[in-house]
Amino acid sequence: MDKKNVALITGVTGQDGSYLAEFLLDKGYEVHGTIRRSSVDFRERIAHIEGKPNFHLHYADLGDSMSIMQVMSKVRPTEVYNLAAQSHVQVSFDSPEFTCDVDATGVLRILEAIRLCGLTKTCRMYQASTSELYGKVEEVPQNENTPFHPYSPYAVAKQYGFWIVKEYREAYDMFCCSGILFNHESERRGETFVTRKITLAAARIKQGKQEKLFLGNLGSLRDWGYAKDYVECMWLILQHKTPEDFVIATGVQHSVREFCYYAFKHVGIELEFVGEGLDEKGIDKATGKVLIEVSPDFFRPTDVVNLWGDPTKAKAELGWDPNKTSFEQLVKIMVDSDMAKVAAEDAGQRVRTNLAEYLEKGIVK
Ligand code: NAP
Ligand code: F7E
C-alpha cells in the first residue's frame, strides 16, 4: 500500500460491520469501529478480532453529533463505512422517530463531520443503502434506474440517507456513494430476521428444543445473498474511479416458504405446505406433525413482497461476482452453524439466548 489506509466503520458490532472489519484488516488497513455503551457487553461478532494491533474501538452514537465529530477528528479516516442503523424493518413501525434520527439524520451527521473536519478531499464515504427503497416495487427486477417507492418508516429514513449522500457528492464534490444492498444473511445474522429465525428454529426443532415455528408472510420474495461476499463489494465501490451508486444482489429470488423448505431439508425434515393465508401450515411429511404456523403477529402494516435485484452494473464495473455463494450454500452455512450452536447450548447460555423462546411465542418479532 502506498499511503496508510485508515477505515472508520460505524456499526462494527453488527453483522456486516464484523465481516467488513475482518476484510479490511486482512487488506492491511488500520480499522476503527464505533460501539455504543450498553448495560450488557455484547460484542460477540467482533470478540475474535478485539485486541488485534490494527483494530481500535471508540464510543459514538449516530444520534449524537458531538461523539461523531470527536471520533472523526481523532481518527481522520481515509474511508468511512456508515453501516450503523436501526436495521429492522418491523421495529421501525414501533420506533419510527428513533429510526428516522439514526437512519436519516445520522447519515447527515457523518457527512457533516467529514466536511467540518476538513476531510472532503481525502476521505471517501460508503453509505449502507437498501433494496427497501424499491419497497412497493414499480419494476422487477430492480436496478439503479428503478424508481424508489419506500414502504416502511425504515425505508423512508434510508431514502433520506440515499439522497443526502448524493447531495453532498454534487454540492461539495465529495467521494461518497451508496450501495443499494439486497438482503444478505449469514451465521452472524440477527436472530429476529426471517432467515436466521428459520435456521435457528430448524436446528432447535431437529434437536427437540422447540415445538413449532411461527412466521408471517410466507409468500414474501427476497433476493438473499451471503454477507461475507457483500462486504467485498462495499470496499470495491470505494475503490472505483468515480463515486457512483451500485445495486448489490445475486439476481436470484426465493420465497420465505422456500427458505423454510431448504433449511428444514438440510436437517433431514421434508416439509409440505398445506392451506392458505393464515391457515397455511408447514407439515413434516414423514410424521404429519405441524412444524410451521402462520401468525398475524408477524405481519407488517405495509410489507415489501417482491425484491429481486439486477447486479449487472456491479458485475461489469466492479468485477464483482454476485454468485460466489449460492442460495443453497447460504442456507447450508447458516443451518450448520445453528445446529452446532444449539447442540452446544447449556443452561447458562439459554438465559441470554431465551430470545428463541420469545420468538417462538411471538413476544419479540
Ligand atoms: P445490524 O446487524 O443490525 O447492525 C447494525 C449496527 O448498527 C450495530 O453495530 C448497531 O450497534 C449499530 N447501531 C444501531 N443504532 C446505532 C446508533 N444509534 N449509533 C451507532 N450505532 C448504532 O445490521 P447489518 O445487517 O449489519 O446491516 C448493516 C447496515 O446495512 C445497516 O445500515 C442496514 O440498515 C443496512 N442494510 C442491511 C441489509 C441486510 O440485508 N443485512 C441490506 C441492506 C442494507 P449495536 O450492536 O450496539 O446494536
Ligand atoms: O423480512 C417476511 C417479512 O425481517 C424478510 C434488513 O436487513 O433486509 C432486511 O429487511 C421478509 C419480509 O428482512 C417473518 O414480512 C415472514 O417480507 O428478514 P426480514 P427485511 O424486512 O427484508 C433489507 C434489505 C434491509 O435493508 C433491512 O435492514 O420476511 N417474514 N415472517 C418475516 N420477517 C421476520 N423478520 N420475521 C418473521 O417471522
Side-chain angles (χ1 to χ4, degrees):
M1 276 187 303
D2 303 330
K3 64 178 172 56
K4 195 169 151 207
N5 287 315
V6 181
L8 174 64
I9 305 174
T10 68
V12 76
T13 54
Q15 171 189 257
D16 292 4
S18 64
Y19 283 121
L20 182 64
E22 280 169 14
F23 177 86
L24 294 175
L25 285 169
D26 282 350
K27 287 219 165 290
Y29 276 64
E30 181 180 307
V31 177
H32 297 256
T34 66
I35 51 169
R36 296 188 291 171
R37 139 97 191 134
S38 116
S39 63
V40 281
D41 245 359
F42 185 58
R43 302 211 289 261
E44 196 178 83
R45 294 185 181 109
I46 54 167
H48 60 294
I49 49 174
E50 279 193 57
K52 285 203 174 199
N54 272 342
F55 187 57
H56 311 275
L57 295 174
H58 311 262
Y59 283 107
D61 193 299
L62 247 61
D64 176 355
S65 306
M66 282 180 270
S67 67
I68 297 171
M69 279 298 290
Q70 271 193 54
V71 69
M72 198 69 76
S73 58
K74 199 154 114 193
V75 173
R76 300 189 71 77
T78 55
E79 293 175 12
V80 172
Y81 295 86
N82 183 37
L83 309 187
Q86 189 302 94
S87 72
H88 203 285
V89 174
Q90 183 146 7
V91 171
S92 78
F93 289 97
D94 299 329
S95 291
E97 187 181 351
F98 172 74
T99 304
C100 176
D101 190 43
V102 177
D103 297 10
T105 316
V107 186
L108 176 69
R109 293 185 182 109
I110 294 283
L111 289 164
E112 271 297 278
I114 294 173
R115 205 173 71 81
L116 296 174
C117 289
L119 302 173
T120 46
K121 295 287 169 268
T122 53
C123 177
R124 298 181 169 200
M125 186 264 196
Y126 170 87
Q127 165 59 13
S129 194
T130 167
S131 52
E132 289 291 307
L133 296 191
Y134 300 121
K136 193 176 180 189
V137 299
E138 301 193 4
E139 181 176 274
V140 180
Q142 296 93 34
N143 63 36
E144 290 79 2
N145 300 315
T146 301
F148 295 147
H149 191 145
Y151 213 34
S152 65
Y154 167 79
V156 173
K158 283 281 185 179
Q159 174 140 17
Y160 175 86
F162 179 88
W163 281 105
I164 200 67
V165 164
K166 205 167 157 54
E167 176 58 25
Y168 271 56
R169 184 157 79 214
E170 290 174 21
Y172 302 116
D173 199 24
M174 283 170 65
F175 196 114
C176 46
C177 352
S178 295
I180 305 174
L181 270 63
F182 282 63
N183 298 54
H184 44 282
E185 319 294 311
S186 72
E187 58 275 40
R188 295 186 196 167
R189 185 57 145 154
E191 295 177 15
T192 58
F193 294 96
V194 77
T195 55
R196 187 73 199 291
K197 187 174 161 184
I198 296 166
T199 59
L200 255 180
R204 295 180 61 79
I205 288 171
K206 177 69 183 176
Q207 295 181 34
K209 294 177 176 171
Q210 184 172 330
E211 281 293 310
K212 256 185 212 170
L213 167 64
F214 291 93
L215 292 170
N217 187 357
L218 295 176
S220 191
L221 296 162
R222 287 290 184 276
D223 179 328
W224 280 296
Y226 187 31
K228 214 171 179 173
D229 300 341
Y230 282 36
V231 297
E232 182 196 8
C233 216
M234 298 174 186
W235 176 76
L236 286 171
I237 289 174
L238 288 198
Q239 313 314 308
H240 195 50
K241 53 188 183 310
T242 46
E244 288 177 41
D245 305 320
F246 288 87
V247 160
I248 309 301
T250 67
V252 183
Q253 193 188 46
H254 290 277
S255 67
V256 170
R257 190 181 294 106
E258 284 172 307
F259 196 102
C260 292
Y261 179 82
Y262 284 101
F264 278 79
K265 188 170 173 218
H266 192 59
V267 300
I269 299 173
E270 186 160 7
L271 288 176
E272 182 178 30
F273 286 89
V274 297
E276 275 180 32
L278 287 176
D279 295 326
E280 185 168 355
K281 294 185 191 337
I283 296 175
D284 180 346
K285 250 180 153 177
T287 63
K289 216 174 150 192
V290 176
L291 299 183
I292 298 178
E293 285 198 42
V294 176
S295 161
D297 285 347
F298 301 110
F299 282 82
R300 298 168 183 183
T302 48
D303 197 13
V304 171
V305 294
N306 195 3
L307 290 180
W308 182 10
D310 172 1
T312 305
K313 182 180 173 190
K315 244 161 97 173
E317 292 189 26
L318 302 175
W320 180 68
D321 176 5
N323 305 113
K324 212 188 257 180
T325 309
S326 70
F327 175 75
E328 288 80 359
Q329 282 170 317
L330 170 66
V331 176
K332 182 179 179 319
I333 290 168
M334 293 178 70
V335 172
D336 285 346
S337 165
D338 279 334
M339 281 296 278
K341 277 192 182 146
V342 169
E345 243 174 21
D346 57 29
Q349 271 177 313
R350 270 303 264 131
V351 173
R352 194 178 61 69
T353 60
N354 59 7
L355 187 56
E357 252 172 42
Y358 292 169
L359 283 169
E360 192 181 346
K361 292 176 183 150
I363 297 165
V364 170
K365 290 163 191 155

